[in-house]
């Protein structure tokens, strides 16, 4: 076995040696800067070397033990952050590499941003220091048992009582129970709760409220608060470390000043007052959350692809009929057709995620200057990109609005600027005559622009023929969904092309990124070939010319993700390729192998076997 293992390790080293680019420079392209690579390296090593953060036994723990282990790791991570005086960037990376979903994800990812975005300066000064020091633990209680994406349909109520200057938070129905918020089940002491604001007998719609859920003395639920964990999720040892929760309120009272009041207020007398800040500012928090989800989708996909590519390079199966060596699984065209588009997608999602991060920063700066001009586009882009990178979407309204304004001469901007070329794109024919023509970024981008625009225009025309716009949206929702997907895929391709066109150092790095960009774009083209053909952007012959060219650099490309073995958490994807001995050793660690004779043998197996022996002796 030792000789076989050595051969596999040497084989993986040979794959790396054959790479046609500098892996270290590709790491910089992936991470964004040498500084980002260095910080990630330090934090990854810090986590991997700390025995508290071990995770090889995670799938063997019971749900209760897994949750306790998550609490222990979160507390230890916080101690290390404080002791080492880590920066915010370093602390975020440390939590990333701990790689165990828990309450801190929602505390930092949604509770704190909600207060930052929707709280007044006074509310931020009161609540954020408590959150930053973990003197309170927060979550984000929006989704209900009966309502998720339809926020306006939420049923939880917050009724103002002018006699006591308090809001009464109440769950009037079973379906109004808050359902799924991470961190809610067992850990959180507070939540930003979204409820229907009612004052002077009028319903003013959904607003946010800071509500204490548990005692800061003994962590027990406060009077009128019923809450707990919603149970196990699919996948042993995966998201089961998170205490997703259920929450009900029975006329729970909170002070009036715990309504998040940056956008609107309720006076001491019960009058509802709008601030001069547009209600769209609520989107600011969701823009942040969605760009984080896109980044997380890229990380998750890159981990999966890294494991699959490395193991496919190690694993051999079948071969020539004359007794020659078996073939690497990675050399089979069917495996390449599955893996390489996903490899390209990981890079595509990473680069569009970087752009979204820039977009969020830009929008935030403009909001502070009371400039809301880009907020609607940012909301739509982040919603769509979050959905496409996680497989669901709906962003069509802004597309329909933009198309409807073209006739007035208003020029679209940002990610919809291509719609300003409406006359050209509605008539253009893709100039592709050979397979090599598909490697031209101009041809690729133009095909995607023409497809997206023609689908949007067709939808707009069909919606306009309905008795009302809402009826048109309802009747044409499947077409609108596809048009929105086409627009978002155009954004991803465009940002990938822009990344490739940057001044990227390192021999061969730009070429390999261009190859990946081509693979991603042509994968999408093949997947949605019907759309491209139906809208007349390309011909069937042009669609058949697209091909692939990633194989020689596959292992090096996943090495550039710079994932440690600890972070990957996979014997099959380990960097050194020493798969089979490690897999053999891991098998013996399973609790079932703690005894040679299994528990239950004397009760169940032995009587059964003895019975069979008696029967056979009678025959």
């Amino acid at each position: 076995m030792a000789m076989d293992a050595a051969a596999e390790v040497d084989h993986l080293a040979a794959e790396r040696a054959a790479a046609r680019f500098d892996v270290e420079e590709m790491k910089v392209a992936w991470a964004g800067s040498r500084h980002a690579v260095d910080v990630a390296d330090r934090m990854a090593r810090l986590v991997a070397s700390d025995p508290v953060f071990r995770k090889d036994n995670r799938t063997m723990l019971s749900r209760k033990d897994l949750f306790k282990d998550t609490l222990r790791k979160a507390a230890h991570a916080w101690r290390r952050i404080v002791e080492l005086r880590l920066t915010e960037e370093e602390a975020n990376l440390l939590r990333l590499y701990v790689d165990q979903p828990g309450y801190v994800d929602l505390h930092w990812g949604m509770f704190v941003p909600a207060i930052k975005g929707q709280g007044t300066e006074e509310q931020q000064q009161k609540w954020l220091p408590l959150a930053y020091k973990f003197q309170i633990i927060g979550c984000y209680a929006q989704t209900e048992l009966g309502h998720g994406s339809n926020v306006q349909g939420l049923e939880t109520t917050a009724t103002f009582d002018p006699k006591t200057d308090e809001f009464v938070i109440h769950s009037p129905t079973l379906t109004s129970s808050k359902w799924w918020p991470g961190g809610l089940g067992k850990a959180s002491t507070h939540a930003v709760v979204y409820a229907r604001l009612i004052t002077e007998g009028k319903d003013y719609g959904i607003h946010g409220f800071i509500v204490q859920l548990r005692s800061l003395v003994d962590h027990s639920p406060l009077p009128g608060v019923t809450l707990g964990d919603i149970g196990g999720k699919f996948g042993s040892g995966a998201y089961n470390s998170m205490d997703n929760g259920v929450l009900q309120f029975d006329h729970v009272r909170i002070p009036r000043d715990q309504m998040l009041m940056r956008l609107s207020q309720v006076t001491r007398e019960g009058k509802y007052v709008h601030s001069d800040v547009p209600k769209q500012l609520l989107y600011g928090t969701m823009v942040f959350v969605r760009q984080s989800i896109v980044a997380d989708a890229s990380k998750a996909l890159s981990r999966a692809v890294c494991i699959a590519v490395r193991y496919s390079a190690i694993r051999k199966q079948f071969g020539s009929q004359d007794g020659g060596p078996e073939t690497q699984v990675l050399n089979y065209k069917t495996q390449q057709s599955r893996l390489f588009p996903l490899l390209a997608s990981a890079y595509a999602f990473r680069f569009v995620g970087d752009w979204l991060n820039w977009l969020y920063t830009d929008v935030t700066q403009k909001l502070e200057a009371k400039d809301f001009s880009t907020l609607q586009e940012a909301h739509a882009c982040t919603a769509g990109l979050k959905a496409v990178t996680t497989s669901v979407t709906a962003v069509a309204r802004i597309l329909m609005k933009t198309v409807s304004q073209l006739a007035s001469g208003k020029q679209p901007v940002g990610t919809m600027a291509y719609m300003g070329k409406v006359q050209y794109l509605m008539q253009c024919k893709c100039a592709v005559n050979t397979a090599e023509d598909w490697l031209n970024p101009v041809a690729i981008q133009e095909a995607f622009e023409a497809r997206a625009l023609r689908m949007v225009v067709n939808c707009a025309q069909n919606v306009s023929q309905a008795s009302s716009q809402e009826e048109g949206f309802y009747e044409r929702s499947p077409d609108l969904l596809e048009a929105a997907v086409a627009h978002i895929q155009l954004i991803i391709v465009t940002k990938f092309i822009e990344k490739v066109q940057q001044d990227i150092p390192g021999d061969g790095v730009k070429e390999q990124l261009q190859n990946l960009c081509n693979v991603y774009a042509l994968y999408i083209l093949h997947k949605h070939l019907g759309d491209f053909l139906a809208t007349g952007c390309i011909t069937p012959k042009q669609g058949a010319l697209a091909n692939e060219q990633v194989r020689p650099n596959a292992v090096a490309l996943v090495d550039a993700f710079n994932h440690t073995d600890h972070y990957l958490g996979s014997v099959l994807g380990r960097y050194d390729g020493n798969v089979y001995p490690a897999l053999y050793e891991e098998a013996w660690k399973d609790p079932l192998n703690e005894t040679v004779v299994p528990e239950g043998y004397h009760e169940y197996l032995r009587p059964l076997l003895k019975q069979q022996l008696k029967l056979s002796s009678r025959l």
Side-chain angles (χ1 to χ4, degrees):
M1 176 169 282
M3 291 180 60
D4 291 340
E8 302 300 351
V9 172
D10 290 342
H11 186 72
L12 197 54
E15 288 274 341
R16 294 188 172 108
R20 301 173 184 173
F21 63 88
D22 187 326
V23 175
E24 290 302 312
E25 293 297 343
M26 186 64 85
K27 288 180 181 179
V28 173
W30 168 263
S33 68
R34 171 53 61 185
H35 167 77
V37 174
D38 292 341
V39 173
D41 278 342
R42 288 201 309 274
M43 293 302 102
R45 288 196 300 269
L46 178 64
V47 170
S49 63
D50 193 324
V52 175
F53 295 133
R54 67 170 291 198
K55 61 179 186 179
D56 57 312
N57 63 338
R58 196 161 74 182
T59 59
M60 302 175 192
L61 299 176
S62 68
R63 177 86 199 288
K64 290 179 69 174
D65 288 339
L66 177 60
F67 180 68
K68 187 175 181 180
D69 182 62
T70 306
L71 298 182
R72 181 171 69 108
K73 288 177 178 174
H76 185 64
W78 179 245
R79 280 195 294 270
R80 298 301 286 152
I81 289 168
V82 173
E83 290 167 357
L84 298 174
R85 299 182 179 180
L86 299 185
T87 64
E88 183 176 352
E89 177 189 17
E90 291 169 331
N92 287 337
L93 281 169
L94 184 142
R95 285 190 285 264
L96 167 70
Y97 289 124
V98 170
D99 188 36
Q100 195 147 315
Y103 66 88
V104 295
D105 300 348
L106 280 298
H107 178 85
W108 293 116
M110 298 194 78
F111 180 73
V112 168
I115 296 175
K116 280 184 176 180
Q118 300 166 38
T120 62
E121 289 187 13
E122 293 78 8
Q123 289 175 323
Q124 292 180 34
Q125 290 171 4
K126 175 181 178 180
W127 294 101
L128 290 180
L130 297 174
Y132 287 149
K133 297 176 182 177
F134 270 124
Q135 292 174 328
I136 61 173
I137 297 172
C139 66
Y140 189 87
Q142 176 174 293
T143 299
E144 295 178 354
L145 187 58
H147 293 86
S149 300
N150 180 20
V151 177
Q152 296 307 313
L154 297 179
E155 299 176 81
T156 303
T157 57
T159 306
F160 182 65
D161 182 356
K163 296 178 182 177
T164 60
D165 196 27
E166 294 173 317
F167 282 102
V168 181
I169 312 296
H170 185 58
S171 305
T173 63
L174 176 65
T175 51
S176 68
S177 305
K178 296 299 179 182
W179 187 270
W180 190 254
L184 170 64
K186 294 296 178 182
S188 296
T189 62
H190 290 68
V192 170
V193 175
Y194 288 88
R196 312 194 72 82
L197 191 160
I198 299 172
T199 185
E200 297 185 323
K202 185 175 179 180
D203 185 336
Y204 286 92
I206 305 302
H207 292 70
F209 302 83
I210 299 175
V211 184
Q212 184 171 349
L213 308 175
R214 292 180 168 97
S215 166
L216 294 178
V217 176
D218 62 6
H219 209 61
S220 60
L222 295 184
V225 176
T226 300
L227 73 173
D229 187 271
I230 61 172
K233 277 79 68 177
F234 180 79
S236 175
Y239 211 69
N240 278 309
S241 56
M242 179 69 80
D243 55 327
N244 298 91
V246 55
L247 168 65
Q248 288 186 326
F249 297 104
D250 184 5
H251 299 91
V252 173
R253 291 178 173 268
I254 63 170
R256 176 172 56 90
D257 64 6
Q258 286 181 213
M259 168 188 170
L260 293 174
M261 293 191 178
R262 186 176 182 185
L263 303 181
S264 54
Q265 301 85 36
V266 171
T267 68
R268 176 64 183 84
E269 296 73 30
K271 299 293 183 184
Y272 183 82
V273 181
H274 282 289
S275 73
D276 58 354
V277 179
K279 191 175 182 180
Q280 289 90 333
L281 191 62
L282 283 170
Y283 294 148
T285 302
M286 296 312 298
V287 168
F288 171 80
V289 171
R290 288 164 181 162
Q291 64 92 16
S292 299
I293 290 174
V294 172
D296 290 344
S298 171
K299 294 186 188 84
L301 181 56
S302 70
R303 291 172 71 182
V305 169
C306 184
I307 294 166
V309 167
R310 285 179 180 170
Y311 186 53
S312 294
I314 289 292
R315 183 72 174 177
K316 295 179 179 179
Q317 193 158 299
F318 307 114
S320 61
Q321 299 296 320
D322 59 2
E326 290 187 288
T327 303
Q328 288 171 272
V329 172
L330 193 56
N331 282 336
Y332 286 106
K333 296 297 183 182
T334 52
Q335 187 75 342
Q336 293 176 11
S337 68
R338 295 185 182 102
L339 285 185
F340 293 170
L342 296 176
L343 172 57
S345 296
Y347 276 88
F349 295 168
R350 170 72 190 204
F351 298 145
V352 80
D354 290 342
W355 171 73
L356 276 185
N357 189 44
W358 170 85
L359 181 64
Y360 171 71
T361 302
D362 180 66
V363 168
T364 301
Q365 291 172 348
K366 288 179 177 177
L367 290 179
E368 291 174 355
K370 299 189 182 300
D371 178 358
F372 306 99
S373 60
T374 59
L375 185 58
Q376 188 178 20
E377 180 191 10
H379 170 59
C381 285
T382 53
L385 284 164
K386 167 217 167 182
V388 167
T389 56
T390 56
S391 300
V392 191
T393 193
V395 288
R397 289 184 182 273
I398 191 172
L399 301 178
M400 298 298 102
K401 179 180 178 181
T402 303
V403 167
S404 68
Q405 294 174 339
L406 291 176
S408 66
K410 183 175 181 179
Q411 287 299 305
V413 296
T415 59
M416 289 169 287
Y418 70 97
M419 293 185 180
K421 301 184 292 182
V422 59
Q423 291 183 338
Y424 170 74
L425 290 175
M426 291 297 289
Q427 302 296 328
C428 78
K429 300 295 182 182
C430 189
V432 170
N433 298 307
T434 68
E436 288 70 25
D437 291 339
W438 275 124
L439 306 184
N440 181 354
V442 174
I444 290 174
Q445 185 163 351
E446 189 171 271
F448 274 77
E449 287 178 345
R451 169 212 179 200
L453 181 63
R454 294 178 193 186
M455 291 177 72
V456 170
V457 168
N458 288 340
C459 282
Q461 291 172 343
N462 290 330
V463 168
S464 67
Q465 295 172 4
S467 57
S468 68
Q469 187 180 65
E470 289 305 312
E471 180 67 21
F473 270 86
Y474 175 77
E475 291 293 336
R476 296 290 176 177
S477 56
D479 297 336
L480 290 164
L481 178 67
E482 294 303 318
V485 169
H487 174 72
I488 295 301
Q489 287 169 342
L490 166 62
I491 293 176
I492 297 174
V493 168
T494 299
K495 298 307 170 186
F496 208 152
I497 291 173
E498 290 176 359
K499 177 69 177 182
V500 173
Q501 291 172 341
Q502 293 175 7
D503 184 17
I504 301 173
D507 293 340
V509 172
K510 182 185 284 287
E511 179 185 353
Q512 293 310 313
L513 288 180
Q514 182 66 66
N515 287 343
L516 287 169
C517 181
N518 294 338
V519 168
Y520 178 77
L522 299 181
Y523 160 67
I524 296 299
L525 189 150
H526 271 297
K527 186 177 180 180
H528 298 275
L529 187 58
D531 291 344
F532 286 90
L533 296 177
T535 55
C537 307
I538 64 173
T539 66
K541 181 179 179 181
Q542 290 171 327
L545 292 173
N547 227 319
E548 89 293 322
Q549 48 179 314
V550 174
R551 170 62 186 96
N553 303 286
V555 171
L557 284 167
V558 299
D559 285 348
F561 297 148
N562 208 21
H563 296 328
T564 63
D565 286 349
H566 180 275
Y567 183 56
L568 287 178
S570 168
V571 170
L572 299 182
R574 54 190 294 150
Y575 181 83
D576 63 10
N578 201 19
V579 170
Y580 299 124
L583 197 60
Y584 185 82
E585 291 170 11
E586 286 297 317
W588 291 106
K589 295 179 182 179
D590 193 281
L592 276 179
N593 288 321
E594 290 176 356
T595 60
V596 176
V597 177
E599 294 180 12
Y601 165 75
H602 291 286
E603 296 93 334
Y604 307 111
L605 282 180
R606 190 174 186 278
L608 180 64
L609 293 169
K610 292 297 182 180
Q611 176 184 327
Q612 289 177 335
L613 286 174
K614 290 177 181 178
L615 288 173
S616 63
S617 65
R618 294 175 184 174
L619 296 177

